[in-house]
Amino acid sequence: VPASAGSASAVPLRFEDGALLVLDQRALPAQERWIRCDSPEQVADCIRTLAVRGAPAIGVAAAYGMALASDRPAVAALLLDTRPTAVNLAWAIERCLKAADPLAEAHRIHAEQEQADRRLAAAGADRFREGDRVLTHCNAGALATAGFGTAGGVLLAAWELGRLELVWVGETRPLLQGARLTAWELRRAGVPHRVIADAAAGGLIAQGLADRVVVGADRIAANGDVANKVGTYPLAVLAARHDVPFYVAAPLSTIDPATPDGARIPIEERAPEEVSETSAAYNPAFDVTPAALVTAIFTEAGVLEPPYEESIARARPR
Ligand code: MRU
C-alpha cells in the first residue's frame, strides 16, 4: 500500500484486520515498506527501533499495541519502557489501561490527534505572513503524528494560505529525520524547501534568511520548558540572538503538568553507533529549550503565550 494512498498527508500507521500496520520510517524515502504487527511485542519493537517515531505517532501506535494485549498491565509496562522522553506515550497507554474497550479508545486517540493537529495548524499559520521563510528541525509532520502534523501541519496550513515562501529543513543528525522524512513530506505536498546541514543554521539566521522557526515537541513541562529533538535548543538560542520568533507546535497531550520543569524531563540516550561507528560517542536524542526562548506554543486550544505557568495551567489543568 503506498503511504500516499488516498490522501495528501502521509500515513504512518493503520489498524486493519486485527493488526497494526506500520510504515517503516527507517527505510524512507528510498522504500515504502510496511510492517505487520500482530502482537504488542512487535509494536514495542517498532517504537524502540524508530520504525514509527514522533511523539504523537508513538502514542497512537502504543494505544493500538494495548488493543492487541491480553495482559494489559504487563503490556503497558513493556510499551512504556520503549522510549522515555515523549509523554504522549505514557498518556495514551494510561488512557487505554483505564478504557473499557482499548481498541475503541485507540481509534479515539487516533481520531482526536487528527483534529488537534488541524486546529493547532490553523492557529499557528495565522501567525505567518506572506513571503515567510521558515526553519524547521527533525520531522513533526503527518509521519510523526498519524494526523496532519504539528510543526509540519503549521507549515502546510501556512502554504495553503499563501504565506509560506520557503522551508529550511535542518537535516537532523544523526538519523536525518529532516533530510529523509520532512523533505519527503514537503516534496509530496509541493512545498518549496531546501535541506541544510544542521550546522548551517547559524549563518543562515545571522544573514536574515529565516523569518521564523517552528518545531514540534516531545514533552512540554508545566513551566513551558520544551524537550524536542537534539539540536532544537541551539536553534532557539540563535533565534533569540537574531530576534526571530521561535514557535513550538504541539497537542495538549504533549504537555505534562506533572513535570514541573525541563530539568525533570528524562532525556533518551541512544546507541553511540548512531553517531560514530569508529569512536566512542555520546548520543542524547533530545535537548531542552527553556521557556524563556519560546515565543509561543501552538495548540488545539489556541496559541499559548508567556507566562507559560499560567497559560498552560489554563489550557491543560492537572
Ligand atoms: O526521535 P524522534 O524522531 O521520535 O523525535 C521526534 C521529534 O523530536 C519531533 O520533533 C517530536 O516528536 C514532535 S513530532 C510531532
Side-chain angles (χ1 to χ4, degrees), residues 56 88 91 95 108-125 145 148-151 154 217 220 248-255 296-304 311-312 314-317:
N88 305 63
W91 172 86
R95 275 184 62 169
R108 244 188 318 270
I109 289 170
H110 195 174
E112 285 171 15
Q113 185 61 44
E114 168 83 29
Q115 290 162 12
D117 283 359
R118 295 271 173 189
R119 282 201 211 111
L120 71 88
T145 72
F148 184 60
T150 57
V154 172
I220 301 175
V248 173
L252 295 178
S253 55
T254 297
I255 299 177
I297 303 175
F298 304 146
T299 78
E300 69 271 36
V303 177
L304 310 188
S311 52
I312 284 176
R314 271 196 304 273
R316 176 105 165 80

Side-chain angles (χ1 to χ4, degrees), residues 50 53-56 58 83 137-141 144-145 150-151 177 215-218 228-229 249 268 285-286:
L50 309 189
R53 33 66 51 204
I58 63 179
R83 298 196 74 191
H137 188 61
C138 195
N139 171 263
T145 72
T150 57
Q177 289 94 329
V215 297
D218 284 81
N228 191 48
K229 179 54 56 189
E268 176 181 9
F286 301 96

Side-chain angles (χ1 to χ4, degrees), residues 13 18 22 38 49 110-111 113 123 129 147 180 227 274 278 286:
L13 52 83
V22 169
D38 295 293
T49 61
H110 195 174
Q113 185 61 44
R129 294 292 166 260
R180 293 189 299 109
E274 289 182 352
T278 46
F286 301 96

Side-chain angles (χ1 to χ4, degrees), residues 125 128-132 155-165:
F128 283 51
R129 294 292 166 260
E130 200 183 328
D132 274 350
L155 293 169
L156 290 184
W159 171 248
E160 282 161 16
L161 290 174
R163 296 185 183 174
L164 185 61
E165 188 175 300

Side-chain angles (χ1 to χ4, degrees), residues 24-314:
D24 186 352
Q25 298 191 36
R26 298 164 304 184
L28 289 175
Q31 274 182 52
E32 292 181 25
R33 179 167 82 202
W34 288 80
I35 301 169
R36 184 184 161 99
C37 303
D38 295 293
S39 72
E41 288 74 20
Q42 290 167 305
V43 176
D45 269 351
C46 280
I47 297 173
R48 194 177 301 109
T49 61
L50 309 189
V52 59
R53 33 66 51 204
I58 63 179
V60 174
Y64 286 119
M66 288 293 288
L68 294 171
S70 40
D71 179 351
R72 271 201 262 170
V75 164
L78 169 80
L79 289 165
L80 204 53
D81 194 44
T82 52
R83 298 196 74 191
T85 304
V87 75
N88 305 63
L89 186 66
W91 172 86
I93 292 169
E94 191 61 32
R95 275 184 62 169
C96 290
L97 263 178
K98 287 188 194 142
D101 175 353
L103 181 57
E105 191 68 3
H107 283 302
R108 244 188 318 270
I109 289 170
H110 195 174
E112 285 171 15
Q113 185 61 44
E114 168 83 29
Q115 290 162 12
D117 283 359
R118 295 271 173 189
R119 282 201 211 111
L120 71 88
D126 196 47
R127 293 289 173 108
F128 283 51
R129 294 292 166 260
E130 200 183 328
D132 274 350
R133 299 151 305 171
V134 182
L135 174 62
T136 192
H137 188 61
C138 195
N139 171 263
L143 286 172
T145 72
F148 184 60
T150 57
V154 172
L155 293 169
L156 290 184
W159 171 248
E160 282 161 16
L161 290 174
R163 296 185 183 174
L164 185 61
E165 188 175 300
L166 179 72
V167 182
W168 296 111
V169 180
E171 64 177 350
T172 318
R173 283 271 304 150
L175 298 177
L176 306 179
Q177 289 94 329
R180 293 189 299 109
L181 307 177
T182 300
W184 181 72
E185 289 179 340
L186 293 172
R187 273 201 302 281
R188 288 160 40 99
V191 178
H193 61 281
R194 288 174 81 177
V195 177
I196 57 166
D198 297 324
L204 194 131
I205 292 176
Q207 288 174 74
L209 296 175
D211 304 292
R212 294 164 209 285
V213 178
V214 63
V215 297
D218 284 81
R219 187 185 304 213
I220 301 175
N223 72 341
D225 291 349
V226 175
N228 191 48
K229 179 54 56 189
V230 67
T232 298
Y233 170 56
L235 295 176
V237 173
L238 283 165
R241 172 75 176 83
H242 297 283
D243 241 343
V244 170
F246 179 90
Y247 302 124
V248 173
L252 295 178
S253 55
T254 297
I255 299 177
D256 181 13
T259 300
D261 57 44
R264 249 61 73 87
I265 299 176
I267 299 296
E268 176 181 9
E269 196 177 324
R270 295 187 63 85
E273 294 75 29
E274 289 182 352
V275 174
S276 172
E277 292 286 349
T278 46
S279 271
Y282 170 52
N283 187 16
F286 301 96
D287 60 24
V288 173
T289 298
L293 299 181
V294 178
T295 309
I297 303 175
F298 304 146
T299 78
E300 69 271 36
V303 177
L304 310 188
E305 287 183 319
Y308 290 114
E309 282 88 356
E310 291 169 23
S311 52
I312 284 176
R314 271 196 304 273

